[in-house]
Amino acid sequence: MKRIYSVLVLAIVALMSLSATERDLWTGSWSVSWNYPEGDEHREWKQLGQSDFAAMEAGTTLYFYFEIDTEAAYHKYNFDNYAWKALPGHEAEHDPEFGFSENTKVTFVLTQAVKDSIAAGGFAIHGHGFEVVKVTILEEDAEPADGVIWSGNWYVSWELQDGDEHKEWKGITPDDFAAFNVNDTLCLSLEIVPTDEYHAYKLEDYGWNALPGQARVDITANTEVRLVITDAIKNAVADGGFALHGHGFNIVQARVAAYNTPTAIEQVTLRSNGIRYNLLGQPVGEDYKGVVILNGKKA
């Protein structure tokens, strides 16, 4: 029985396999530092123009490859417009830990809000202590990597004053939720801010009402929150929206793990090895008293 189950699992995994390929958009070695004097081209990276982004569809995934300058005192990047204003979902001013310390591949999802912002004000990378060495895009016929639908660095604290946008994260709209299938899993990656005294999250609607089956959860380390989409949750979000509330963390990524049900397994070949098994899948001898499985069938 175990062998039959193993063959079925392998067949299901094969049906669920997806691949994605990256295509280079830009390569080079462009140092970035906001410490350069005004007028120096290396105060920012602007090698992709507004027309480049206009040609991409919302939901397109880009990857930015950064290599650190080992002589720099720190390494930090911001995704901004030409006027140094952060793109939607990429605000970092609330996060004291924002930065990186080793060569980094950054996932950048082009949401409609980001597209609109770039169309109005352009796209630039600002920061200090690194070089941009490559930018890639997922091929149009490939699935987004791991179902990523949002990435950024958004601080969340319900202790902020009313009206502060960082009292909550609302990076997934009711329309986004409507496109999810029942049994899909929404995965939210949270990174704690060590300087905050506690860390907790809660999945709610815009009115701070808990989604069905959800409650406050205290955390002490970086966490991936997993929400299995049910009809009740879809209905609640359709009526009241979706918000992540809490304190002491940054949300850095949202992705959807699709629930896959194989539609068919055309052929499964079982090897006839002549070994006898009991119902627990254990090999047994010819003198075994009980139900015996031989070559996938009851003997």
Side-chain angles (χ1 to χ4, degrees), residues 31-107:
S31 62
V32 176
S33 174
W34 44 40
N35 289 347
Y36 286 123
E38 293 282 353
D40 192 304
E41 61 182 0
H42 287 278
R43 277 176 61 83
E44 55 197 349
W45 183 92
K46 298 193 298 185
Q47 304 307 306
L48 289 180
Q50 289 162 295
S51 60
D52 295 317
F53 286 98
M56 302 176 193
E57 296 182 357
T60 296
T61 299
L62 304 178
Y63 298 112
F64 290 85
Y65 290 78
F66 301 149
E67 292 187 357
I68 63 171
D69 176 357
T70 56
E71 296 183 357
Y74 65 95
H75 320 282
K76 182 176 180 180
Y77 69 88
N78 288 346
F79 290 127
D80 297 334
N81 65 15
Y82 295 158
W84 295 65
K85 182 178 180 181
L87 297 177
H90 294 275
E91 297 85 349
E93 63 271 16
H94 288 277
D95 184 359
E97 300 299 319
F98 185 75
F100 59 106
S101 59
E102 58 186 16
N103 296 344
T104 300
K105 176 183 177 181
V106 179
T107 302

Side-chain angles (χ1 to χ4, degrees), residues 264-296:
I265 299 177
E266 303 216 347
Q267 182 176 3
V268 176
T269 301
L270 298 176
R271 186 174 62 183
S272 298
N273 54 18
I275 299 176
R276 300 159 62 89
Y277 298 91
N278 63 18
L279 290 179
L280 296 177
Q282 300 166 330
V284 296
E286 293 187 1
D287 58 348
Y288 176 76
K289 304 298 183 181
V291 177
V292 173
I293 304 299
L294 177 64
N295 297 331

Side-chain angles (χ1 to χ4, degrees), residues 20 74 78 129-131 148 171 191 212 214 286:
Y74 65 95
N78 288 346
F130 65 94
E131 293 184 347
V148 174
E191 294 184 356
Q214 302 303 305
E286 293 187 1

Side-chain angles (χ1 to χ4, degrees), residues 199-246:
H199 320 282
Y201 72 86
K202 195 173 181 182
L203 303 178
E204 303 185 308
D205 63 16
Y206 294 161
W208 295 69
N209 301 302
L211 296 181
Q214 302 303 305
R216 168 178 166 153
V217 178
D218 293 321
I219 58 176
T220 58
N222 297 344
T223 301
E224 182 176 74
V225 178
R226 297 185 178 183
L227 176 68
V228 177
I229 308 300
T230 63
D231 280 322
I233 288 174
K234 282 176 69 75
N235 292 336
V237 173
D239 291 338
F242 176 81
L244 173 65
H245 296 126

Side-chain angles (χ1 to χ4, degrees), residues 1-6 277-281 293:
M1 294 293 288
K2 283 186 176 179
R3 288 172 179 259
I4 296 172
Y5 177 76
S6 297
Y277 298 91
N278 63 18
L279 290 179
L280 296 177
I293 304 299

